[in-house]
Amino acid sequence: MNSQAQQRDDRQNGTPGGGARRYRREDVAAAAGVKVRNLRYYQERGLLPPPRREGRIAWYSDDHLTRLRLISDLLGRGYTVNGIGELLAAWEQGGGLSQLLGLEREMTRDWVREEPVTMTRAELRELFGPTATAEHTRRAARAGYVRVDGDRVTYPSRRLLEATVALTRQGVPLDEILDAGDFAQTQAAALADRFVTLFRRHVIGPDGLDRLSATELDHIREAVTALRPVAGEVVAAEFARAMAQRVEAEVAALLRTWPRTESRKESRRESRTETRAEPRTEQ
């Protein structure tokens, strides 16, 4: 098959060229948050292109994953399956579907860039010592900090793992670290909601994506690319500023108590010295 025919076949099967990532059926369903049986149903209803087959293996692409996420989003917004089919068909006929799918990819990619770390349970116990319990692991898994698969434990974020290890080695209990993590997740979610609301209101607009032209979709994609690093930089800068102010206040409070503490210690030492130096009186 020549290269042009291969590219045409790739497009028909929803598989982009250029060595794009491929997924097995179970993997693409898990990544999209849908049931495996829904893939066949969506294909039968014309919502999802068929996968590319190699022998008995069906390979799905990033385009399949993007479309599955779009279908799930539309279902969540109250669209019926028939309505989604009509909407996708209209977008395809108008040439806007590729821009819409590209926008979805652009808006969801690159937010998380983490290096995962996998170890055995024995290595985990050795890393955190005897104070770490199975309940700590279960709690971390519920919060999304670890994934447990049999005897293997995976930390999706090496940075969070290293931060946790550093805190435990300074004597901070794991329970309190996990409490702080719960608090941080809650605050981060609130900040994310605020940034998304601002973007939705002022960049996308009140009508959503339904009435936007391909040119406007391209503009939104460019805006996402420009604004993606801004959110992280704002949060990092504000947190650093808050930490500087809080640490400065804490140090000042400690220093205010230090002279009095030292004076009391010195007074006690002088008192003991004078007592020892006082001569005995003969009776």
Side-chain angles (χ1 to χ4, degrees), residues 129-142:
T131 59
T133 66
E135 177 56 30
H136 289 136
T137 303
R138 286 191 291 269
R139 185 178 172 188
R142 289 194 297 269

Side-chain angles (χ1 to χ4, degrees), residues 161-173 177 180:
L161 170 60
E162 291 175 348
T164 304
V165 171
L167 287 169
T168 57
R169 289 179 178 174
Q170 295 301 320
V172 182
I177 295 174

Side-chain angles (χ1 to χ4, degrees), residues 39-104:
L39 300 185
R40 185 183 299 276
Y41 176 70
Y42 293 155
Q43 288 170 212
E44 291 172 350
R45 301 302 298 268
L47 304 183
L48 189 70
R52 180 182 179 85
R53 291 192 171 274
E54 294 182 2
R56 295 185 177 181
I57 302 177
W59 290 109
Y60 293 82
S61 69
D62 282 328
D63 282 350
H64 287 105
L65 177 58
T66 297
R67 189 178 287 226
L68 282 170
R69 288 172 172 166
L70 177 61
I71 293 170
S72 295
D73 177 67
L74 292 172
L75 287 171
R77 291 164 57 187
Y79 285 83
T80 65
V81 170
N82 289 337
I84 293 173
E86 294 173 359
L87 190 60
L88 291 176
W91 276 332
E92 285 176 334
Q93 292 173 4
L97 183 60
S98 61
Q99 285 89 350
L100 183 64
L101 297 181
L103 175 62
E104 196 276 347

Side-chain angles (χ1 to χ4, degrees), residues 72-229:
S72 295
D73 177 67
L74 292 172
L75 287 171
R77 291 164 57 187
Y79 285 83
T80 65
V81 170
N82 289 337
I84 293 173
E86 294 173 359
L87 190 60
L88 291 176
W91 276 332
E92 285 176 334
Q93 292 173 4
L97 183 60
S98 61
Q99 285 89 350
L100 183 64
L101 297 181
L103 175 62
E104 196 276 347
R105 284 194 297 270
E106 189 64 44
M107 292 180 74
T108 56
R109 73 177 180 88
D110 292 343
W111 286 103
V112 178
R113 292 185 177 182
E114 296 287 0
E115 179 186 356
V117 180
T118 300
M119 66 188 74
T120 65
R121 287 179 181 267
E123 291 171 331
L124 183 67
R125 287 191 294 271
E126 182 179 353
L127 184 63
F128 285 104
T131 59
T133 66
E135 177 56 30
H136 289 136
T137 303
R138 286 191 291 269
R139 185 178 172 188
R142 289 194 297 269
Y145 293 128
V146 301
R147 295 192 300 267
V148 180
D149 183 12
D151 188 52
R152 310 289 289 179
V153 179
T154 298
Y155 278 80
S157 170
R158 177 181 291 275
R159 290 186 298 174
L160 289 179
L161 170 60
E162 291 175 348
T164 304
V165 171
L167 287 169
T168 57
R169 289 179 178 174
Q170 295 301 320
V172 182
L174 272 172
D175 282 323
E176 296 192 30
I177 295 174
L178 289 168
D179 288 343
D182 290 342
F183 177 78
Q185 285 189 345
T186 301
Q187 300 303 312
L191 284 169
D193 286 343
R194 178 63 62 88
F195 277 108
V196 169
T197 299
L198 290 174
F199 189 88
R200 175 68 184 270
R201 181 184 303 150
H202 298 289
V203 179
I204 295 178
D207 294 331
L209 302 177
D210 294 347
R211 300 180 182 179
L212 296 180
S213 66
T215 300
E216 289 169 326
L217 290 173
D218 285 337
H219 168 70
I220 293 175
R221 185 166 57 248
E222 293 171 359
V224 172
T225 302
L227 294 176
R228 183 184 292 111

